[in-house]
Amino acid sequence: MAAADPNRVLRLMPIVVGILAGSLLLINRFLTPNLTDAQARSDALGVILSALLVLTGLIWQRIQPRSPDSVVLNGTEGFELAPDLPDTIQTELAWASHLLLTNTVTRSLIVWYDSKMLLRRGVLGPGPLTTPGTIVQRVLQTQKPIYLVNLQIYPGKIEFDYLPDNTQGVICQPLGNRGVLILGANAPRSYTRQDENWISGIADKLENTLEAAGTVLSNE
């Protein structure tokens, strides 16, 4: 179970103070029989400041604290591409992997296509992917993604020995029926629905590029 956010009360303070101040200004306005111009200007300024406090508090509520279950993945940062890939494929793989590593919780990723590993990037595992396991094979056959929300308690984690050994969550996203995009996160249950949609969209783009270059890849 995730620990409670120790800054939760602090995040709520601007909202509470803003609402309280706005309410007091409203009460004071109703209880003042003769309102001077200076008082009207002060009230307007007070309402604006109260609204800004509430807005600040709402923004703070959207800032998510670092997951207490996150870990530092074992391994070293790296970027490996299969040799002799066409320049267009290298550029596409570099672009897609950069987006996934910077815009999602992904910390390690692999692209497997036509029975070969085209790329691995991020925190590298102890070795490359040589033979897909049961889970990856199922993704290739069904062409449907599989999300393992907590890899460490899943019996099939042994087949992901090419990822860092303390990888917490894994998404296997199909690239048609010829490949799969494998992504590892450093915290369990960390991929959101938005992340999954983002990954699916990038995978579709990669699939189109790789399929168009399929003849070139298969001859290498």
Side-chain angles (χ1 to χ4, degrees):
M1 177 181 293
D5 178 13
N7 296 318
R8 183 172 181 273
V9 175
L10 180 62
R11 295 174 193 276
L12 290 172
M13 282 185 64
I15 298 177
V16 174
V17 173
I19 292 175
L20 179 61
S23 300
L24 291 175
L25 283 170
L26 185 61
I27 294 172
N28 182 68
R29 182 71 175 265
F30 285 141
L31 296 180
T32 303
N34 298 315
L35 192 66
T36 66
D37 291 342
Q39 287 175 315
R41 289 193 294 270
S42 298
D43 286 351
L45 181 60
V47 169
I48 293 173
L49 292 176
S50 298
L52 287 176
L53 280 171
V54 173
L55 180 60
T56 299
L58 292 174
I59 292 174
W60 284 7
Q61 294 303 305
R62 295 176 61 88
I63 301 175
Q64 297 297 321
R66 182 175 180 268
S67 170
D69 296 327
S70 64
V71 300
V72 176
L73 295 186
N74 297 329
T76 56
E77 293 278 346
F79 181 16
E80 298 180 359
L81 281 167
D84 303 324
L85 285 175
D87 290 343
T88 54
I89 301 300
Q90 291 187 28
T91 301
E92 185 85 3
L93 290 172
W95 164 83
S97 58
H98 174 75
L99 285 181
L100 291 169
L101 289 169
T102 55
N103 291 280
T104 72
V105 294
T106 302
R107 295 294 177 267
S108 179
L109 65 86
I110 287 174
V111 176
W112 174 268
Y113 196 81
D114 276 349
S115 301
K116 65 179 69 174
M117 192 178 73
L118 302 187
L119 169 142
R120 65 173 183 157
R121 188 174 184 178
V123 182
L124 305 183
L129 167 58
T130 55
T131 304
T134 303
I135 296 172
V136 174
Q137 291 287 359
R138 188 189 315 158
V139 171
L140 289 169
Q141 292 168 4
T142 63
Q143 298 182 48
K144 293 181 179 180
I146 292 179
Y147 178 19
L148 306 176
V149 298
N150 193 343
L151 185 63
Q152 294 303 308
I153 65 173
Y154 192 79
K157 70 177 183 179
I158 189 173
E159 79 170 69
F160 296 97
D161 56 357
Y162 43 82
L163 294 175
D165 57 13
N166 60 339
T167 299
Q168 301 296 302
V170 169
I171 287 182
C172 298
Q173 183 73 36
L175 301 171
N177 62 352
R178 299 170 60 183
V180 62
L181 175 64
I182 303 169
L183 308 101
N186 67 338
R189 300 172 296 277
S190 52
Y191 285 105
T192 65
R193 177 60 64 181
Q194 182 178 354
D195 289 333
E196 294 180 60
N197 292 337
W198 180 254
I199 291 166
S200 177
I202 291 181
D204 288 343
K205 178 67 169 62
L206 269 181
E207 178 192 351
N208 290 334
T209 302
L210 294 172
E211 186 176 6
T215 303
V216 176
L217 293 174
S218 61
N219 289 334
E220 291 179 354

